[in-house]
Amino acid sequence: MTSGLERVVVTGRGPVSSIGVGTAAFTEGLRSGRNEVAPLTAFDTTGFAHSLGCEVTGFDPADWIARTSVETLGRASSFVVAAAAMALAEAGLTGEDLRDRPGHIAVGTADGESQDLDALAEQTLLHGADQMDPALVDRAWTHRLSASIAWEFGLRNVAPITFPTACSAGNYAIGDGLDAIRLGDADYALVGGADAVCRRSFASFHRLGIMSPDRCRPFDADRQGILSGEGAGILLLESLTSARGRGATILAEVLGYGINCDAHHAFAPEEKSIQACMESALRDARVAPGDVDLISAHGTGTPSNDVTEVRAIKAVYGDSPPPVVSLKSMLGHSMGASSALGAIASTIAINEGFLPPTVNHRTTDPECAIDCVPNHSVPADVTIVQNNGFAFNGNNAITVFGRFEETP
């Protein structure tokens, strides 16, 4: 963080996930190592060798969305608007409080409203393009993910942006909101990511041969790949000036972030680039590796990703890095929501004093020789967390969160 810029703090969080909806339920899911794996229901999985995933259940968008007709929102948009409502509620704010204040909205995604795009493609193939459902056409625009937040809360002085940078997109959005507040362009930012399970993404990963037949086992010697997940994570960021001015409860500080591109391979992560992204994030946060208490890894459970990520971590942290956990063992791969949910989990670890576990773990791969906090959460004094997000085509993004201290 450059001296003289606004400090940025987290005052609200909204997680929508397969292990819990809302901060309290999500916290308990992390603490208990919940893993809700079941046959996918979002589409017909007939013909696929594997059909398990981590879908959000027990979620009614009408419980959170008041101003917008829920029927006009796709599944991912309903996740993200509800998550924003949760973040505002936790922060003790309403849309009226923020209506005319300068703000920023940034949402990351991999697939947008691909469930609706799948349906439109089916309609076109079966009946012709002139028979597409206009309501689905309207719902399917990717910009709706960010713009729908502004519409729901009547926010008029904002710049809604949707980042399509796949599995690291949530961190891209958080970094974008951080910059907007640091530079004085916004008092607050609603930022994060969202995705819903869809056939297109599932089929793509299945075709690549990286879908697990049963469980996601990051860093395990017997890991076989990912499970499809879904959800949303939204954080309300505020300038420290704004948060202090209204007497807000400060949950954590966003210390910094780093982004770069491998420019190496469409699918294979590149160790040196990931290392450089970590170093950039720590430098921006003004944090030394020895100060970090926890790394929330990208940790997909694929053979190449886990080894490459561990090697990059050790290149920065040495042979004894801090604990490295993968939430995907619990959540599945929630795509654009993954690093946003990781960011929320980072603030929870700081506030609640525990390390979330990497579940489904049996035997650590010798090439992934790290403390992955296997199977059970552990009490810990957590002050600084590095939150990793990596994506296809080399889109790397890392955020760093810290316990709020009056003097940085």
Side-chain angles (χ1 to χ4, degrees):
M1 183 180 73
T2 304
S3 178
L5 298 180
E6 275 276 11
R7 294 173 67 185
V8 179
V9 295
V10 180
T11 57
R13 301 160 297 187
V16 176
S17 80
S18 60
I19 66 167
V21 175
T23 301
F26 186 59
T27 299
E28 181 51 34
L30 293 174
R31 195 189 300 272
S32 64
R34 190 174 299 146
N35 186 205
E36 300 294 336
V37 178
L40 291 170
T41 63
F43 56 89
D44 184 0
T45 59
T46 301
F48 291 104
H50 310 310
S51 61
L52 297 177
C54 302
E55 292 177 299
V56 174
T57 59
F59 168 73
D60 184 351
D63 291 341
W64 297 97
I65 300 172
R67 193 167 182 251
T68 306
S69 172
V70 171
E71 290 72 24
T72 66
L73 298 174
R75 185 165 172 84
S77 293
S78 69
F79 285 160
V80 83
V81 175
M86 295 171 200
L88 288 175
E90 185 175 47
L93 291 169
T94 66
E96 186 65 35
D97 296 325
L98 301 175
R99 183 151 298 159
D100 295 307
R101 291 176 57 188
H104 193 74
I105 298 172
V107 177
T109 190
D111 291 301
E113 295 295 1
S114 279
Q115 284 191 7
D116 292 337
L117 290 172
D118 286 345
L120 289 168
E122 184 176 2
Q123 290 173 3
T124 300
L125 287 170
L126 293 177
H127 308 295
D130 61 336
Q131 296 302 307
M132 288 193 298
D133 183 347
L136 286 183
V137 172
D138 184 53
R139 282 180 12 174
W141 297 108
T142 302
H143 75 268
R144 291 288 300 270
L145 288 172
S146 53
S148 293
I149 295 175
W151 298 342
E152 169 67 13
F153 302 105
L155 306 178
R156 296 185 290 218
N157 195 6
V158 294
I161 297 174
T162 301
F163 284 93
T165 43
C167 308
S168 59
N171 268 348
Y172 270 82
I174 293 167
D176 188 57
L178 173 63
D179 280 343
I181 298 173
R182 275 179 172 177
L183 297 173
D185 295 332
D187 292 339
Y188 71 92
L190 285 159
V191 295
D195 264 305
V197 166
C198 66
R199 181 166 46 200
R200 182 186 72 171
S201 180
F202 180 87
S204 298
F205 285 118
H206 193 280
R207 186 71 180 85
L208 288 169
I210 57 174
M211 299 298 295
S212 174
D214 50 17
R215 294 290 188 271
C216 179
R217 295 185 172 87
F219 314 120
D220 193 277
D222 298 319
R223 66 191 183 279
Q224 297 184 67
I226 73 168
L227 288 178
S228 289
E230 64 179 359
I234 291 292
L235 298 90
L236 177 64
L237 310 184
E238 291 187 69
S239 67
L240 181 56
T241 301
S242 170
R244 277 177 171 159
R246 66 182 191 87
T249 298
I250 294 174
L251 303 168
E253 182 169 3
V254 192
L255 298 176
Y257 78 108
I259 57 174
N260 68 6
C261 180
D262 289 350
H264 165 68
H265 191 279
F267 308 128
E270 202 272 328
E271 178 187 337
K272 292 294 184 184
S273 184
I274 292 173
Q275 175 187 343
C277 193
M278 292 183 194
E279 291 168 344
S280 174
L282 294 175
R283 185 166 56 249
D284 186 54
R286 296 193 294 180
V287 166
D291 297 329
V292 176
D293 302 302
L294 172 67
I295 297 173
S296 177
H298 189 61
T300 60
T302 59
S304 63
N305 179 94
D306 290 3
V307 170
T308 301
E309 185 171 11
V310 169
R311 286 175 178 167
I313 288 170
K314 289 190 173 184
V316 175
Y317 287 88
D319 289 334
S320 299
V324 179
V325 304
S326 174
L327 304 185
K328 290 180 181 65
S329 64
M330 293 180 274
L331 301 171
H333 197 336
S334 53
M335 310 301 285
S338 59
S339 57
L341 288 168
I344 292 175
S346 299
T347 70
I348 289 170
I350 290 167
N351 280 277
E352 300 296 328
F354 71 92
L355 305 178
T358 302
V359 301
N360 308 318
H361 197 74
R362 297 183 293 207
T363 305
T364 301
D365 182 347
E367 292 193 81
C368 298
I370 42 94
D371 174 11
C372 68
V373 191
N375 300 319
H376 303 286
S377 61
V378 175
D381 182 23
V382 181
T383 58
I384 296 176
V385 183
Q386 174 183 303
N387 178 47
N388 290 354
F390 312 130
F392 282 173
N393 294 300
N395 290 306
N396 303 317
I398 295 171
T399 49
V400 182
F401 295 86
R403 180 181 297 162
F404 174 70
E405 305 286 352
E406 284 297 333
T407 328

